[in-house]
Amino acid sequence: MIAAHQSSWLLDPSERLNRKNAFDASLVVGTAKFNRETGRIDKPRPPFSQFIDPTTGLIQLDMLRPRNCPVCDAPPKQGLFVKDGFRHVRCPNCDLIYVSLILREDLMIKFWREELSWMSVLTSAPQMSLDKLKYAYGLDLVANYLSGVKLLDIGAGTGSFLKQAQERGWETTGIELNTESVENLLKEGMRVIVKPLEIADLPSKSFDLVSMWEVLEHLADIRSILQEAKRLLVSDGLLLLLVPNAGSLVTRVLHEKSDTFGGHSHLNHFNLKSLTTLLTNLNFEIVELETVVTELGTINNHLNFEDPYLGEASHFFPFLTPEFIHQNLLGSRLLVIARPLTDKEA
Ligand SMILES: [Zn+2]
């Protein structure tokens, strides 16, 4: 087991909850207000919806490729629902909800290079201020286990995590493919690699921390990217992941109505079991695993027969508290810190 030099807030559950609640949009801003202020409600109709074949309700076949479960390689069986033309299935072995068939690789790469619709959401003032607290939480968590300062952030996006890490003395490198994001990162003087990690050809054991904030859900081949991340980590280095939680209360209540589902870009929906299986199979030891972000506003809106994302939550159900949500790992994101086991330990 890794040696932790834990600060007091980590060991005090109520202090830890306070810090989580501070970046929970539902609690701080209110769901409807947050969605309006960040521009989430102005999103264009789902990309690729013009390619839905009206006879099948699915994206036309020549744009798609087949895919087994990206965690355990079992073939797709149990269909759950179709959203925006993409079939979502659940793996009977590891519980992962995933999209199969997915977009062809060339279409996916083109989409990520050119995608801009989410940029104004990410750079909106309320999003930036909550992200800042979220990143501070992650960096504080990591600081309890690590003394090294070399960081690789995969899917660096706006660069706000890199910037915050730099302010704390981290030596940062970002990986990013989106053309506009890369331009912005370079303008800010960030070191950025404009290649998928698998072909970036970085030297082994060159980073103390590899982070992926809401990235793993977007990738077709998650095992090879995590194996590559493992190769890049020093022996006592850490991997930090934040992913949507398919086992969250909000997702269990809303099913396909949840904004987390949309098959062109969110390909993998982890819960506790599938994420643990994935990391354990790749010989990572989980050091921290918890949920963050309750989406209590969304849940209460839905329970009140209001629009989950734009309702005014005319009534809050008192038994639904942040404590209850996080104690039962029902928050809408899973935050994991893991370390690679050495060959001896594995
Ligand atoms: Zn599976």
Side-chain angles (χ1 to χ4, degrees):
M1 187 60 203
I2 198 164
H5 316 282
Q6 297 207 319
S7 353
S8 57
W9 73 269
L10 271 176
L11 298 168
D12 178 348
S14 66
E15 184 56 25
R16 198 157 163 159
L17 183 65
N18 283 342
R19 288 206 48 182
K20 274 190 216 191
N21 290 349
F23 59 84
D24 187 327
S26 273
L27 306 178
V28 184
V29 188
T31 303
K33 189 163 179 262
F34 182 71
N35 286 332
R36 287 197 184 94
E37 285 182 2
T38 53
R40 278 172 169 72
I41 56 167
D42 305 322
K43 262 191 308 180
R45 68 187 192 130
F48 304 100
S49 52
Q50 72 270 35
F51 301 111
I52 294 176
D53 178 341
T55 58
T56 61
L58 300 169
I59 302 287
Q60 58 191 56
L61 214 54
D62 61 341
M63 296 175 69
L64 301 176
R65 58 182 155 144
R67 180 188 194 220
N68 285 351
C69 172
V71 170
C72 74
D73 210 31
K77 268 190 189 150
Q78 198 184 348
L80 278 182
F81 53 80
V82 171
K83 181 153 182 197
D84 299 340
F86 292 92
R87 193 184 298 282
H88 291 65
V89 299
R90 177 159 55 187
C91 176
N93 298 344
C94 73
D95 235 18
L96 184 81
I97 296 175
Y98 65 101
V99 178
S100 182
L101 315 160
I102 54 169
L103 286 173
R104 279 190 344 237
E105 195 171 11
D106 57 318
L107 296 174
M108 209 170 259
I109 290 175
K110 187 172 183 295
F111 172 78
W112 284 114
R113 285 221 173 100
E114 297 169 3
E115 145 69 29
L116 287 175
S117 68
W118 202 240
M119 198 70 81
S120 57
V121 172
L122 294 178
T123 54
S124 63
Q127 182 75 50
M128 296 275 276
S129 73
L130 296 184
D131 276 350
K132 205 167 176 189
L133 295 170
K134 181 177 76 187
Y135 295 146
Y137 186 89
L139 287 167
D140 283 348
L141 212 52
V142 162
N144 286 283
Y145 301 99
L146 268 190
S147 48
V149 295
K150 293 204 164 119
L151 163 68
L152 177 68
D153 187 38
I154 301 172
T158 62
S160 56
F161 178 61
L162 290 177
K163 205 168 178 185
Q164 204 166 326
Q166 277 184 354
E167 285 164 8
R168 291 179 178 223
W170 288 87
E171 294 167 22
T172 66
T173 305
I175 291 207
E176 182 53 58
L177 300 181
N178 182 267
T179 309
E180 184 163 316
S181 294
V182 169
E183 260 173 43
N184 291 337
L185 291 167
L186 291 173
K187 247 184 249 163
E188 298 249 12
M190 299 282 182
R191 180 168 180 239
V192 57
I193 297 166
V194 195
K195 276 181 193 172
L197 180 67
E198 293 93 325
I199 57 164
D201 206 20
L202 293 163
S204 295
K205 295 189 186 295
S206 47
F207 294 98
D208 301 290
L209 175 64
V210 172
S211 55
M212 298 172 81
W213 293 93
E214 303 194 83
V215 171
L216 210 56
E217 66 271 27
H218 298 285
L219 303 176
D221 185 356
I222 51 184
R223 279 175 301 186
S224 67
I225 198 149
L226 290 178
Q227 269 160 346
E228 184 60 4
K230 194 174 169 195
R231 185 183 70 78
L232 297 177
L233 282 170
V234 298
S235 51
D236 57 352
L238 292 177
L239 173 74
L240 181 152
L241 299 174
L242 187 81
V243 291
N245 177 16
S248 66
L249 186 60
V250 69
T251 308
R252 288 171 186 274
V253 168
L254 289 181
H255 294 186
E256 63 267 40
K257 283 187 185 161
S258 163
D259 271 356
T260 198
F261 295 113
H264 68 286
S265 84
H266 277 195
L267 313 182
N268 317 303
H269 298 274
F270 300 95
N271 63 10
L272 177 63
K273 183 180 171 186
S274 52
L275 191 57
T276 307
T277 304
L278 174 68
L279 291 170
T280 310
N281 287 352
L282 295 171
N283 291 324
F284 279 97
E285 177 193 42
I286 293 172
V287 177
E288 293 272 354
L289 188 153
E290 61 180 348
T291 62
V292 297
V293 181
T294 58
E295 292 206 37
L296 271 173
T298 314
I299 297 165
N300 280 291
N301 287 339
H302 185 71
L303 296 179
N304 290 321
F305 297 90
E306 295 169 17
D307 180 325
Y309 297 100
L310 293 175
E312 297 301 334
S314 48
H315 174 74
F316 279 87
F317 291 86
F319 56 87
L320 292 175
T321 62
E323 290 90 329
F324 172 81
I325 296 275
H326 293 309
Q327 273 166 12
N328 294 288
L329 294 180
L330 291 169
S332 89
R333 303 285 188 279
L334 283 163
L335 177 62
V336 176
I337 294 178
R339 74 165 184 111
L341 293 173
T342 60
D343 291 342
K344 234 185 194 170
E345 292 169 312

